[in-house]
Amino acid sequence: AKATRLRTAAKETYDRAMDQVDAILMPTTPVTAPELPSADAGLSELYAAGGGGIGNTMQFDVTGHPALSVPCGQSDGLPVGCMLIGRYWNESVLYRLGAVIEAAH
């Protein structure tokens, strides 16, 4: 029940934010890309290498808002992505914005 209430509150918060804008732009991940694990990596090393990048994306899995990640540059030679979040059923806006960002970089 608590998770359902939190999901509804998050959905409503993002809906209100998007009353004022066409899309929300944010980093896709809160951290730079980790080093690749070794070829003989154990489960804990594999998990650590892949689990740190979902902090900015997971809430949209819960709220259902459409989101699109596009490359937008580099940091220390590593690729950086930005994420666009949109209104429900308005994915075409994200595709157009994403194409402009990707073409600029």
Side-chain angles (χ1 to χ4, degrees), residues 22-76:
D22 293 324
I24 297 171
L25 175 71
M26 59 191 286
T28 302
T29 62
V31 295
T32 58
E35 290 188 26
L36 292 174
S38 62
D40 59 345
L43 185 59
S44 62
E45 185 181 349
L46 292 171
Y47 182 78
I54 63 170
N56 288 359
T57 61
M58 64 185 170
Q59 63 268 30
F60 304 108
D61 295 334
V62 174
T63 68
H65 286 91
L68 174 70
S69 178
V70 294
C72 65
Q74 291 192 352
S75 175
D76 296 326

Side-chain angles (χ1 to χ4, degrees), residues 66-88:
L68 174 70
S69 178
V70 294
C72 65
Q74 291 192 352
S75 175
D76 296 326
L78 296 173
V80 173
C82 65
M83 184 169 58
L84 296 158
I85 299 91
R87 295 184 190 109
Y88 296 109

